[in-house]
Amino acid sequence: MKNIRVVLCSFAILALSIIVIPPFLEIPEMGSSWRKDGKFVAALQEISKIIPENEVLVSASYDPAIYYFTNHNLQIPSKGISYNSLLNFMKKDNYLYLLIIEGKYNVPRGFTFDLQLTNLTKDFKEIATYTTDFKIIQLYKRIV
Amino acid sequence: MSTDRDDDKGPREATKKLRIKNITGSSKLIDFIFGIFCIYMIITYSNFINTIHVPIWDGAVFLLNAHEWLNNINLSEIYRPPLLSWIMDAIWVFTGEDWTTIIYVQMIFTIAGIILLYGLLRRKKGALFALGVSALTLTNAQLFFYTSQIRTEGISFFFVILTLYFLEGTKRAHWLFSGVSIGLTFAARYPILLQSMIIFVVESISKKDPKSAGKAVIAIVVVILLVVVIVYAKTGTFQMALEKDSNFGTSISPFYLVNATSIWGPAILLLPVAFLFKSTFKDKFNYVFIGWFIISFLSWSTNASNQQYRFTIQFMPAAYFLVMLAVKNLVKFDRNNLVFLKTTSSTLNK
């Protein structure tokens, strides 16, 4: 009887180990890979220093991480906006700064700008470009 | 009448028993294994946390809220429970506002919760049982991932365990502390108040000490009122969740049942087995975990609009407690222990 218990006990421990180990090994792969971008936060913190205090940042989507690390209010134009509408949106409220993030990026509640970036040079001046592990972050200032 | 062979069997059995005890029953050995396990998990947590360089959406919101509490600015998301942001602020008062200083906060609360759980279960059910529940809980992928982030799962998990720990305490003052702990569960993550309350209600019924339970209720009300008043004073309102996420009670969803093995792993298949044994219902202590699991499971299943694996994190210990109970009953299998078999008269005489 005791032998049976030892066998059962060993079997239980072995079974639990088999149950526990495979899902645990998957943990490093969990979550979005772009969250492992080691340069993203530093780039946003750099941007926060470039933009004057109280200036608003226009971005394609709201992300609390951008808001927190740039330390500037974000304004998000309505979905599906064209280049001219974006320009008018910024002119109307006198917004000067535009943030464009390209590459692997999570935009859960928004969208990415569908803009021909070459057009931007007509009305915007490129202030800074940061190439991070997964993204290219560009900061533009509207020419007034 | 015993034979020579039987006489030989005595010391041999005793030695074997001792050896088994040495292998499985030595509390000090199990404590040592648990200690090693905790160190291993802290290293694993730290390694994983160090790979996260951008906080997840909710983490960034808690950072924003903490920044706004600290600088007396309007809160970005008023429905977020405030405790995590207050803890961040308490750290930032000493370190300055730096998000990297709070990345380990959840891990600390989670490991502390597991240590309390182990200590409690070791006292009540033995070291091996406690190790099983603690190891299964802490190695759960959902729990590990979400308690590695800047979120509230690990903190609320800790306060649920702390509530149970105080309620299982021997001094009357423990009831008061449990009330404070229940209030802090609410401040950590609003809906998890239910889980601490289940534990409190079951313990109150089983301990039959209305005077102490009354003191605990007063402490619960005071702490919750304090939290509500502070948040109200700051925001001018008190909101516990987004309206779209709070559709409770309309219907029962099979989501958590269908995805049970993905959430808890295949071990969960053993959980129903615990209910097949009479001994499960004999020990009053088990009722806390039965109530905790069933009501939490059902309450999340009644949310028709928002179903996520991570909602099960705070009652992981209850699920794995029942799994371990099933394992224990299977290891000590006794036909007469089965609920659907009536105890024979001969067994009763024994």
Side-chain angles (χ1 to χ4, degrees):
Chain A
M1 191 65 182
K2 290 283 178 195
N3 285 334
I4 293 168
R5 280 187 191 169
V6 172
V7 169
L8 280 171
C9 199
S10 311
F11 179 75
I13 290 171
L14 184 73
L16 286 174
S17 307
I18 292 166
I19 284 163
V20 162
I21 292 166
F24 196 70
L25 292 176
E26 287 171 18
I27 288 169
E29 307 307 319
M30 288 177 81
S32 312
S33 58
W34 73 266
R35 298 275 178 200
K36 291 163 187 172
D37 190 331
K39 294 172 184 165
F40 185 64
V41 166
L44 295 178
Q45 285 169 333
E46 277 297 311
I47 287 170
S48 79
K49 291 174 194 163
I50 296 170
I51 304 174
E53 212 178 322
N54 299 327
E55 282 288 346
V56 166
L57 198 55
V58 174
S59 173
S61 67
Y62 177 77
D63 185 331
I66 297 177
Y67 183 20
Y68 180 72
F69 290 111
T70 60
N71 201 20
H72 282 80
N73 277 328
L74 294 177
Q75 279 296 331
I76 318 300
S78 56
K79 205 173 176 181
I81 199 165
S82 67
Y83 178 75
N84 284 335
S85 310
L86 172 71
L87 201 59
N88 289 335
F89 173 81
M90 292 185 72
K91 278 180 180 172
K92 193 178 136 231
D93 289 310
N94 201 25
Y95 299 139
L96 294 176
Y97 294 91
L98 175 68
L99 185 74
I100 291 177
I101 300 173
E102 287 182 273
K104 207 173 185 180
Y105 181 57
N106 186 20
V107 279
R109 294 184 199 174
F111 63 104
T112 50
F113 286 127
D114 184 22
L115 305 172
Q116 288 182 322
L117 293 179
T118 46
N119 281 345
L120 284 172
T121 50
K122 284 196 299 182
D123 305 288
F124 292 87
K125 184 185 167 197
E126 189 178 330
I127 296 179
T129 299
Y130 302 93
T131 305
T132 68
D133 295 335
F134 297 108
K135 295 169 274 286
I136 298 171
I137 305 171
Q138 289 166 301
L139 180 68
Y140 290 90
K141 187 177 180 184
R142 188 166 59 83
I143 300 165
V144 282
Chain B
M1 207 176 147
S2 63
T3 62
D4 285 352
R5 202 172 165 178
D6 283 333
D7 285 335
D8 279 353
K9 217 175 166 185
R12 226 188 303 147
E13 275 290 311
T15 317
K16 202 186 280 176
K17 208 173 177 180
L18 195 68
R19 211 179 298 147
I20 293 165
K21 173 90 179 147
N22 283 342
I23 294 165
T24 61
S26 164
S27 293
K28 282 184 181 170
L29 175 68
I30 307 286
D31 290 348
F32 178 74
I33 294 169
F34 177 72
I36 298 289
F37 168 70
C38 283
I39 293 166
Y40 169 76
M41 288 306 293
I42 290 169
I43 295 166
T44 311
Y45 257 115
S46 303
N47 288 341
F48 184 67
I49 290 168
N50 286 329
T51 65
I52 305 165
H53 298 296
V54 184
I56 58 172
W57 181 285
D58 289 359
V61 172
F62 283 111
L63 285 167
L64 269 172
N65 277 8
H67 171 79
E68 289 153 354
W69 276 103
L70 199 62
N71 294 284
N72 201 20
I73 312 167
N74 288 339
L75 295 185
S76 291
E77 293 193 7
I78 55 170
Y79 59 89
R80 300 282 178 175
L83 189 63
L84 176 60
S85 297
W86 293 346
I87 292 168
M88 289 181 194
D89 289 342
I91 296 167
W92 286 347
V93 164
F94 297 102
T95 63
E97 189 177 331
D98 177 0
W99 83 285
T100 57
T101 56
I102 47 91
I103 54 175
Y104 299 107
V105 167
Q106 274 239 103
M107 175 194 84
I108 294 165
F109 275 97
T110 310
I111 299 276
I114 287 294
I115 293 169
L116 281 182
L117 181 73
Y118 178 80
L120 176 69
L121 294 181
R122 183 185 185 278
R123 192 155 33 99
K124 295 280 178 183
K125 293 278 176 188
L128 193 61
F129 189 97
L131 179 70
V133 178
S134 307
L136 281 168
T137 304
L138 197 55
T139 53
N140 180 282
Q142 297 301 321
L143 182 134
F144 183 90
F145 178 75
Y146 285 102
T147 57
S148 302
Q149 312 288 334
I150 303 168
R151 296 183 59 96
T152 57
E153 278 81 3
I155 297 171
S156 51
F157 170 86
F158 169 78
F159 283 112
V160 174
I161 307 274
L162 187 66
T163 301
L164 176 62
Y165 191 83
F166 281 136
L167 286 168
E168 283 297 328
T170 47
K171 292 176 187 165
R172 283 201 155 181
H174 286 152
W175 282 88
L176 200 66
F177 295 146
S178 73
V180 174
S181 179
I182 293 169
L184 290 173
T185 311
F186 174 77
R189 193 166 167 80
Y190 299 137
I192 306 307
L193 173 69
L194 175 74
Q195 297 186 28
S196 282
M197 286 304 293
I198 296 161
I199 294 169
F200 172 69
V201 169
V202 177
E203 288 279 4
S204 300
I205 293 167
S206 71
K207 293 206 168 142
K208 293 175 186 139
D209 185 355
K211 208 175 167 185
S212 300
K215 281 180 188 169
V217 170
I218 293 168
I220 297 166
V221 172
V222 168
V223 176
I224 291 178
L225 269 180
L226 207 63
V227 171
V228 172
V229 166
I230 294 170
V231 173
Y232 188 84
K234 172 84 176 158
T235 63
T237 184
F238 186 77
Q239 191 184 340
M240 293 206 296
L242 289 172
E243 209 175 317
K244 69 179 177 70
D245 292 339
S246 47
N247 292 328
F248 282 94
T250 45
S251 61
I252 297 274
S253 155
F255 178 83
Y256 297 101
L257 197 64
V258 171
N259 294 295
T261 51
S262 306
I263 297 167
W264 289 283
I268 200 70
L269 298 172
L270 284 170
L271 188 144
V273 176
F275 296 102
L276 299 178
F277 295 95
K278 288 172 190 165
S279 56
T280 300
F281 304 98
K282 274 182 192 160
D283 187 352
K284 280 184 181 174
F285 182 66
N286 298 348
Y287 282 89
V288 174
F289 292 86
I290 294 170
W292 183 7
F293 177 77
I294 292 176
I295 298 176
S296 306
F297 187 90
L298 288 177
S299 72
W300 283 119
S301 297
T302 59
N303 189 327
S305 58
N306 193 3
Q307 296 148 338
Q308 296 184 46
Y309 289 1
R310 65 184 170 86
F311 293 162
T312 61
I313 286 171
Q314 290 80 9
F315 65 101
M316 291 270 170
Y320 291 128
F321 178 92
L322 294 171
V323 167
M324 283 306 294
L325 214 53
V327 172
K328 189 182 173 187
N329 284 325
L330 287 172
V331 170
K332 291 184 173 179
F333 185 79
D334 179 1
R335 207 169 162 269
N336 292 307
N337 192 19
L338 290 166
V339 281
F340 47 82
L341 282 183
K342 278 189 179 172
T343 312
T344 57
S345 55
S346 60
T347 317
L348 282 172
N349 289 336
K350 271 181 193 174

